[in-house]
Amino acid sequence: MMTISRTDLERIAVLAQLKLSEDEADGLAGDCQAILEYFEIVREAGAVESEVDGPVGRAAPLREDRFDCDPLVERLEDLAPDWREGYFILPRLPALDADATSDDDDV
Amino acid sequence: MVGAGVSSSYEPVIGLEIHVQLKTRTKMFCGCPAEFGAPPNTNVCPVCLGLPGALPVVNRSAIELAVQTALALGCDVHNRSVFARKNYFYPDLPKGYQISQYDRPLATGGVVELPAKDGSGVRRIRLRRLHVEEDSGKSIHDRFVEQTAVDLNRAGVPLIEIVTEPDFSVASQAREFLDRLKRMLEYLGVSDCNMEEGSLRVDANVSVRPAGSDELSTKTEVKNMNSFSQLEKALESEVARHVAVVNSGGVIEHQTMLWDPARGEARPMRGKEEAHDYRYFPEPDLPVLELADDAVAAAAGTLPEMPQEKLERLVRQYGLPAYDAEVLTSTHELADYFEAVARLTSDPKLASNWVMVEVLAVANERGSSISDLGLEPERLAELIAMVADGDLSHALARQVLSGMVESGTSAEDVINTEGLRLIKDSDELERWVAETQAENPAEVERYRAGEVKLLAFFIGQVMRRSKGKADPERLRRILEKSLGSDPSEDSAMPDTG
Amino acid sequence: MAEPPTRTTHALREELRSRRLRVGDLLRTTLSAIDASDADAAPINAFITRGGSQLEEQAAALDRSFDSGDEARPLAGIPVAIKDNISVRGMPTTCASRVLEAYEPPYEAAAVRRLRDAGALIVGKTNLDEFAMGSSTENGAFGPTRNPHDRGRVPGGSSGGSAAAVAANLVPLALGSDTGGSVRQPASFCGVVGLKPTYGRVSRYGLVAFASSLDQIGPLGRTVEDTALLLGVIAGRDRFDSTCVDSPVPDYTETIDAGVEGLVVGVPREFFPEDLDPHVEALCRAALDRLEALGAVIRDVSLPNSKYAVPAYYLVANAEASSNLARYDGVRYGLRAKDVQSAQAVYRETRGMGFGPEVKRRIVLGTYGLSAGFYDQYYGRGQQVRRLIAADFEQVCATGVDVLFTPTVPGVAFRLGERINDPVQMYLSDVFTVTANLIGAPAISLPIGDHDGLPVGGQFIGRHFQETVVLQAAWALESTISDRPLTGGV
Ligand SMILES: [Mg+2]
Ligand SMILES: [Zn+2]
């Protein structure tokens, strides 16, 4: 049977960028354990060939390459928590080189 | 001897991962303009901003361009492929995931051949996969102090990612591969391939192993190369580092290296201590991407001629040397231009010389493309015909060419307005020859004394006097006659007798 | 002060058309009924946001349009409430979450546009479990909704606000969203009709995603016919949703009274377990008797893998949710934690303070189920079981069964707070509803009686895109039930 340890929980919290207080982490570890135990029943179900279907089992529709976006009716600067000279602003990522963008990284 | 043999006892194993922005009007999953250079955060909508409730819709043109590229590279294009989410947090990744493809990519397989070189045979670079995905936005870290500025104009621009097998054993092969790939992409018209603007981006993974073995060693990823020559340098430097570490008994760590072009070295990327776990899963907002066999066949039927095929055909059809064909096929535009000219002339080799030497020189001088020169193939062909018929000297024809580009008129017009017609009139030529001889009696003496190579000197002098317009054929005959028929010729004879 | 309208949408339409009832008056009585429902020591709290002055203008325009005599739109002047996870212009869309407390969407959901085009008055945004994650409407940041039939009890969830608003006669129609039963389960608890359309029948564009492969917007109404009318307005192709299907939308109300003569109704034995509340079972059996009396053919069937439906559902839904909720990072919109020094701190603090406990629980479980080494045994397993259940359903349909009939929920509305600390018990209230989401089939819940004054719902599950058949069966059954609890405790 699978168990979810505090270490697992901390790893998951980092992946999910989720700050958890000590109390929350304790509660979550217990809850998740109970839920995962309950989920164990699915192991009894039979096997199935895992041919990947789309969500509806049909083909993705293709859009013509035309300017056709749904226009915004509010200004982005009214939406943004922090905005400056046309940019979304947030505190600098630490330990990043000045020219790094995620395309140098993950995309 | 350990020291001397070391570097040759290891061989590099290099693979490339290439991201190419596709030249579509709109983004991959929304109808926003995909153009480069708009004011920040102006080409955005609910979809590419990742607003709650927004959904992706696939751009047909992006798929068509990706399929064409895959076919041109000899990949198997799959009837069914699946979009997947790649989950990670980054300020310029609006949804917290990138829509990409994972275990069911658009295409797999494929080969690019690098021709035989320096005694080595043809090298086959195998392609592992080609898939479509969306670009991220841009995080700008140096605009505001201690702050990251995010521009999402680029978020959602369509990309293809091409992954090679680790089939390169020398850095220069990687560069040659990229040159070829870039040329193919330009021929296909699927991308601008501009590394500076980021429409072509290359990452590499590098490892070394004892020469001849097929063991797997730890590899590092090298990123942030902004030109092919930087890429070559970065690979050489990283290979050297691997060899040095292994030789000193060290162990290569699996990590990402950022190339610093200014310092000429790759440094480990900091801040990557969080192990990546992208939690890929099929994108539930997009059904399977289906490509019918006949649609793929139709795309294959409309593929333009690729650079290598074109090169071979130019050699075959026009009898050009391989070197000429290589230069002429460097861009699709140049090759088309050459063919348009060659069809109108009787001498394809002469046409090749004019296009690859003179026309390219004028274009380079003016920093413009061939089409911007406004030099219609018909007009260049007229000019070449005049040279072939002996109506213009090569030198004069070069002047006419630059006059044609300057004025946008025909060779005939330039010749008339600038008086660049070849002077064939014997009286005039004889007068120039007489004047020249009179001014250079010493050289006349030496010529007549047997220094016949001075003929070139006299031709040059007369040409200068005629501003290049003297008909070279006639001039030569008149000069030879005039220099040889001097009355003093007899008195010079005894010296040699 | 006029009584809140207890009439059906069809009746209201008649009165508006004949100008015995003015849109302006209807709007005012609706808004004051909403206010009154909250002015109580135990407020119903069905709404998070109530429409304001802009509605007056719209109502006036509608009245002029009725005066001119050419107002023929299907929902002209009809007040409609919208679950607060569906984007409506000019109002916040909070999803009952701190993380979106002040977020006003700069665009509108496709379904809402269709409602506006049909002339509806969008009177407010209804309460829900945070991001629709819950079965009781207790998990929101803005307080629980109370069941109009018993204010000490939950209305069900997550579309509890919409169901309560209809049950309390605050509005005749409402939109909810149904990922694992979130329209049908509260409809059952509140004694109203709620329908989950076939996956792909209604555009999800503008519906804040919880679990993308399961979510559907669904209509709630006081009668089957009203629900059918609303479905007809919101259904249909949308170029902004790739999973929305381009198949014709029939007039669901036109054939709704076709009857059930010869209709084969399957009764899956797994949905009538031994520990089923006997009162619920009795009401279901009585309903089946009446269907049979109307000419339906009742047949015992089996969906053997449906016993794995709840865990399979949660494995899939949580995984998708963990990814769908990654965009709430404090960068572009919504909440941002103050006084933080790095981008990572923006994410972690914003998400830590912005999400409530149930959402965090599901993000953690979903992230875990997708993470390296666990995918196959969790998310992947969930998807496999989903296919097994779909195969069971296809097999049953292949034997000629037209619809399935089941209880909607194993019991009646439970007490506020009763299950809030027992997630597994909470999840089990979806045991009969998740199957339709997993297989993408249409399903409806309608009142089939009550127990101790609390409504009990029955569910029809139909074949894909056979909403017409589901509605016909539900209409026929509804017509045999005279004691359905039409009005709540207002
Ligand atoms: Mg990529
Ligand atoms: Zn966009």
Side-chain angles (χ1 to χ4, degrees):
Chain A
M1 156 138 18
M2 297 305 303
T3 60
I4 185 162
S5 66
R6 267 305 274 270
T7 325
D8 289 333
L9 194 64
E10 275 156 30
R11 179 177 61 86
I12 296 305
V14 169
L15 278 178
Q17 296 283 10
L18 204 54
K19 187 186 176 181
L20 300 173
S21 69
E22 277 298 303
D23 282 356
E24 276 180 320
D26 284 338
L28 268 174
D31 288 346
C32 292
Q33 187 58 44
I35 294 164
L36 290 176
E37 281 172 23
Y38 167 63
F39 287 176
E40 283 300 308
I41 187 179
V42 295
R43 318 249 163 268
E44 295 170 10
V48 66
E49 272 306 306
S50 74
E51 164 70 11
V52 183
D53 294 308
V56 210
R58 68 190 184 101
L62 300 178
R63 161 181 81 73
E64 297 310 316
D65 187 19
R66 281 195 302 261
F67 300 125
D68 174 33
C69 62
D70 190 12
L72 300 171
V73 297
E74 311 269 343
R75 297 185 312 167
L76 285 183
E77 52 195 293
D78 297 335
L79 215 59
D82 195 358
W83 177 265
R84 197 167 154 193
E85 295 171 32
Y87 293 95
F88 296 101
I89 297 295
L90 72 164
R92 169 96 55 103
L93 282 171
L96 262 186
D97 289 70
D99 53 358
T101 68
S102 71
D103 56 82
D104 304 318
D105 176 4
D106 288 311
V107 170
Chain B
M1 273 304 298
V2 176
V6 157
S7 61
S8 60
S9 67
Y10 286 98
E11 67 175 6
V13 180
I14 301 169
L16 299 178
E17 195 182 293
I18 302 124
H19 285 93
V20 182
Q21 273 185 2
L22 295 175
K23 223 155 85 179
T24 53
R25 267 199 290 278
T26 65
K27 294 186 180 182
M28 182 74 220
F29 298 117
C30 63
C32 286
E35 67 189 347
F36 178 83
N41 293 307
T42 51
N43 290 339
V44 292
C45 75
V47 178
C48 54
L49 284 167
L51 291 185
L55 297 168
V57 185
V58 179
N59 182 337
R60 177 189 302 278
S61 171
I63 301 304
E64 286 168 355
L65 296 181
V67 168
Q68 282 175 22
T69 308
L71 290 170
L73 292 169
C75 305
D76 291 330
V77 175
H78 300 300
N79 294 128
R80 288 162 70 78
S81 66
V82 175
F83 289 101
R85 293 187 184 178
K86 178 181 183 178
N87 295 283
Y88 66 96
F89 283 86
Y90 207 87
D92 57 29
L93 190 71
K95 299 185 294 295
Y97 54 85
Q98 178 200 25
I99 305 178
S100 180
Q101 296 189 301
Y102 184 54
D103 53 1
R104 302 280 302 268
L106 180 83
T108 51
V111 167
V112 172
E113 287 191 346
L114 305 182
K117 212 172 186 180
D118 307 332
S120 68
V122 171
R123 193 164 184 96
R124 290 165 53 84
I125 306 301
R126 293 165 302 154
L127 303 179
R128 186 175 292 169
R129 56 187 281 141
L130 181 152
H131 71 247
V132 285
E133 59 184 29
E134 58 177 338
D135 210 341
S136 65
K138 267 183 179 302
S139 294
I140 300 154
H141 304 290
D142 57 0
R143 187 179 172 98
F144 305 117
V145 177
E146 291 298 304
Q147 290 182 319
T148 293
V150 179
D151 173 11
L152 298 177
N153 282 347
R154 201 184 66 179
V157 167
L159 295 175
I160 46 174
E161 180 179 321
I162 301 166
V163 182
T164 76
E165 296 293 345
D167 282 353
F168 304 98
S169 55
V170 193
S172 60
Q173 284 168 358
R175 184 179 179 168
E176 200 187 331
F177 168 84
L178 287 169
D179 278 328
R180 291 192 168 262
L181 178 68
K182 182 173 179 227
R183 199 187 283 195
M184 290 177 77
L185 295 170
E186 283 167 347
Y187 265 57
L188 289 165
V190 299
S191 175
D192 291 328
C193 294
N194 184 331
M195 272 187 106
E196 272 156 34
E197 289 183 1
S199 56
L200 178 69
R201 305 194 283 268
V202 185
D203 301 330
N205 49 67
V206 173
S207 63
V208 297
R209 65 185 175 198
S213 90
D214 51 8
E215 74 182 45
L216 295 170
S217 338
T218 307
K219 59 188 181 186
T220 54
E221 274 173 76
V222 197
K223 295 171 180 287
N224 201 39
M225 289 80 73
N226 52 19
S227 70
F228 288 176
S229 60
Q230 288 296 330
L231 174 111
E232 192 173 346
K233 283 194 190 119
L235 291 179
E236 281 165 358
S237 145
E238 185 61 4
V239 166
R241 190 182 70 84
H242 277 239
V243 172
V245 169
V246 175
N247 274 335
S248 64
V251 174
I252 291 292
E253 239 183 283
H254 178 82
Q255 59 187 347
T256 300
M257 309 292 289
L258 271 192
W259 174 247
D260 182 340
R263 291 202 227 164
E265 63 175 32
R267 281 174 287 116
M269 198 158 145
R270 288 165 293 143
K272 302 301 290 180
E273 65 284 347
E274 291 160 18
H276 276 175
D277 181 348
Y278 293 123
R279 290 158 284 136
Y280 282 100
F281 72 103
E283 164 59 288
D285 287 330
L286 290 171
V288 168
L289 178 64
E290 284 189 3
L291 295 166
D293 283 333
D294 52 352
V296 175
T302 61
L303 280 186
E305 192 176 32
M306 286 291 100
Q308 190 61 31
E309 296 168 69
K310 198 182 279 288
L311 186 152
E312 284 160 17
R313 184 173 58 76
L314 292 190
V315 170
R316 206 169 53 237
Q317 184 173 340
Y318 298 102
L320 297 183
Y323 174 78
D324 287 36
E326 178 86 35
V327 173
L328 291 171
T329 53
S330 65
T331 71
H332 193 249
E333 187 194 15
L334 184 63
D336 284 353
Y337 186 77
F338 160 74
E339 289 210 80
V341 176
R343 275 195 289 271
L344 298 165
T345 59
S346 52
D347 186 346
K349 175 56 188 160
L350 189 60
S352 162
N353 289 347
W354 274 87
V355 170
M356 64 182 262
V357 181
E358 305 301 343
V359 175
L360 272 190
V362 175
N364 288 343
E365 216 168 84
R366 304 165 71 96
S368 56
S369 68
I370 304 254
S371 60
D372 292 342
L373 290 180
L375 185 65
E376 270 117 54
E378 294 74 18
R379 290 185 165 172
L380 181 65
E382 283 165 23
L383 181 70
I384 291 170
M386 291 178 187
V387 176
D389 295 348
D391 294 338
L392 279 178
S393 66
H394 188 82
L396 205 54
R398 286 173 63 178
Q399 288 185 55
V400 173
L401 177 68
S402 94
M404 288 163 73
V405 171
E406 203 68 49
S407 62
T409 54
S410 69
E412 196 64 38
D413 290 341
V414 172
I415 288 165
N416 288 336
T417 53
E418 298 187 23
L420 290 174
R421 199 171 297 282
L422 217 46
I423 292 170
K424 302 188 179 192
D425 176 64
S426 299
D427 293 348
E428 183 133 34
L429 294 174
E430 275 163 17
R431 183 163 52 81
W432 283 329
V433 166
E435 283 167 14
T436 305
Q437 287 189 27
E439 279 170 24
N440 299 286
E443 283 74 13
V444 174
E445 276 301 301
R446 281 162 58 202
Y447 181 90
R448 288 184 176 148
E451 217 176 315
V452 290
K453 67 172 192 285
L454 278 170
L455 183 66
F457 165 77
F458 287 105
I459 290 174
Q461 290 296 312
V462 176
M463 276 297 180
R464 188 181 301 168
R465 198 172 288 269
S466 73
K467 298 195 171 62
K469 289 185 269 186
D471 180 331
E473 275 300 298
R474 288 180 181 232
L475 173 63
R476 186 187 182 89
R477 267 185 272 125
I478 290 170
L479 259 176
E480 275 172 347
K481 193 173 154 207
S482 158
L483 286 164
S485 68
D486 193 275
S488 62
E489 187 185 19
D490 292 341
S491 65
M493 287 306 285
D495 290 345
T496 56
Chain C
M1 177 57 59
E3 281 293 300
T6 58
R7 290 148 291 195
T8 63
T9 308
H10 276 75
L12 281 172
R13 287 210 303 183
E14 226 13 79
E15 288 183 56
L16 288 169
R17 212 163 286 165
S18 66
R19 292 157 63 206
R20 287 193 305 264
L21 177 64
R22 307 300 302 185
V23 180
D25 293 333
L26 177 58
L27 173 65
R28 277 183 292 279
T29 54
T30 299
L31 294 180
S32 45
I34 293 171
D35 291 344
S37 73
D38 287 341
D40 191 296
I44 292 183
N45 197 28
F47 285 80
I48 292 175
T49 304
R50 199 202 88 167
S53 54
Q54 78 278 19
L55 288 172
E56 293 284 351
E57 284 169 42
Q58 203 195 333
L62 279 157
D63 276 326
R64 283 194 299 278
S65 177
F66 276 116
D67 290 342
S68 72
D70 51 10
E71 179 55 75
R73 292 176 294 168
L75 294 179
I78 304 295
V80 179
I82 311 285
K83 188 178 182 180
D84 203 21
N85 61 348
I86 300 171
S87 307
V88 174
R89 274 168 66 170
M91 291 181 189
T93 294
T94 69
C95 296
S97 181
R98 293 278 169 222
V99 92
L100 286 177
E101 189 165 358
Y103 167 71
E104 266 200 32
Y107 78 110
E108 195 151 80
V112 174
R113 283 184 211 171
R114 285 175 177 267
L115 278 180
R116 286 196 198 281
D117 291 346
L121 275 178
I122 291 164
V123 296
K125 304 294 296 289
T126 56
N127 202 2
L128 65 155
D129 291 296
E130 185 177 5
F131 284 103
M133 296 178 181
S135 308
S136 64
T137 316
E138 295 170 288
N139 289 330
F142 312 116
T145 294
R146 291 163 187 276
N147 193 316
H149 297 276
D150 177 348
R151 295 200 185 190
R153 290 179 187 264
V154 302
S158 63
S159 311
S162 287
V166 173
N169 290 316
L170 306 179
V171 286
L173 294 173
L175 290 188
S177 68
D178 192 316
T179 304
S182 279
V183 162
R184 291 160 288 154
Q185 187 256 22
S188 175
F189 280 8
C190 290
V192 299
V193 179
L195 183 142
K196 183 203 86 79
T198 307
Y199 186 83
R201 180 70 288 185
V202 177
S203 170
R204 293 183 295 120
Y205 186 71
L207 166 67
V208 179
F210 158 17
S212 310
S213 72
L214 300 157
D215 295 341
Q216 263 305 273
I217 291 176
L220 294 106
R222 274 194 287 276
T223 65
V224 173
E225 187 173 8
D226 282 5
T227 307
L229 174 69
L230 183 51
L231 174 66
V233 169
I234 61 172
R237 192 194 105 85
D238 172 36
R239 73 183 196 282
F240 290 120
D241 179 359
S242 302
T243 62
C244 188
V245 174
D246 185 10
S247 80
V249 180
D251 182 339
Y252 295 113
T253 57
E254 200 180 291
T255 55
I256 201 160
D257 56 358
V260 291
E261 179 80 51
L263 189 81
V264 181
V265 178
V267 181
R269 66 180 69 100
E270 292 79 10
F271 288 66
F272 292 85
E274 287 190 354
D275 57 355
L276 180 63
D277 180 330
H279 303 98
V280 172
E281 166 137 26
L283 287 168
C284 286
R285 296 291 175 201
L288 286 166
D289 289 345
R290 283 184 294 222
L291 285 168
E292 194 163 26
L294 291 172
V297 179
I298 311 298
R299 196 182 285 170
D300 275 337
V301 298
S302 173
L303 301 171
N305 288 292
S306 62
K307 62 175 172 292
Y308 310 117
V310 171
Y313 164 78
Y314 279 94
L315 289 173
V316 171
N318 291 347
E320 292 181 5
S322 72
S323 175
N324 283 329
L325 269 59
R327 67 188 63 195
Y328 307 104
D329 57 7
V331 177
R332 297 165 310 285
Y333 48 81
L335 182 74
R336 155 134 12 140
K338 304 263 182 295
D339 303 320
V340 287
Q341 305 304 318
S342 72
Q344 275 94 352
V346 168
Y347 304 153
R348 280 174 204 174
E349 301 279 342
T350 301
R351 294 164 62 77
M353 66 194 275
F355 294 137
E358 180 63 22
V359 172
K360 284 180 183 168
R361 191 147 54 211
R362 298 201 191 194
I363 290 175
V364 165
L365 284 166
T367 304
Y368 186 65
L370 287 173
S371 65
F374 297 100
Y375 182 95
D376 287 342
Q377 46 183 319
Y378 289 117
Y379 180 76
R381 189 69 188 135
Q383 289 288 32
Q384 287 190 338
V385 173
R386 188 175 181 177
R387 267 175 234 120
L388 292 174
I389 297 171
D392 286 353
F393 182 69
E394 274 162 37
Q395 213 161 359
V396 167
C397 290
T399 65
V401 169
D402 298 303
V403 288
L404 302 178
F405 182 76
T406 78
T408 310
V409 194
V412 293
F414 45 88
R415 288 180 199 290
L416 283 163
E418 188 181 319
R419 295 191 186 174
I420 199 80
N421 293 317
D422 188 346
V424 172
Q425 274 311 303
M426 188 71 94
Y427 295 173
L428 283 173
S429 51
D430 298 333
V431 63
F432 300 147
T433 46
V434 293
T435 295
N437 301 84
L438 287 170
I439 64 184
I444 195 169
S445 174
L446 76 159
I448 55 167
D450 62 294
H451 172 58
D452 284 350
L454 293 170
V456 171
Q459 171 179 243
F460 287 102
I461 303 173
R463 300 185 191 183
H464 292 79
F465 295 99
Q466 295 299 311
E467 277 83 357
T468 304
V469 177
V470 168
L471 286 162
Q472 284 166 355
W475 189 91
L477 178 58
E478 179 187 52
S479 66
T480 66
I481 296 167
S482 52
D483 56 345
R484 66 200 150 108
L486 243 188
T487 60
V490 173

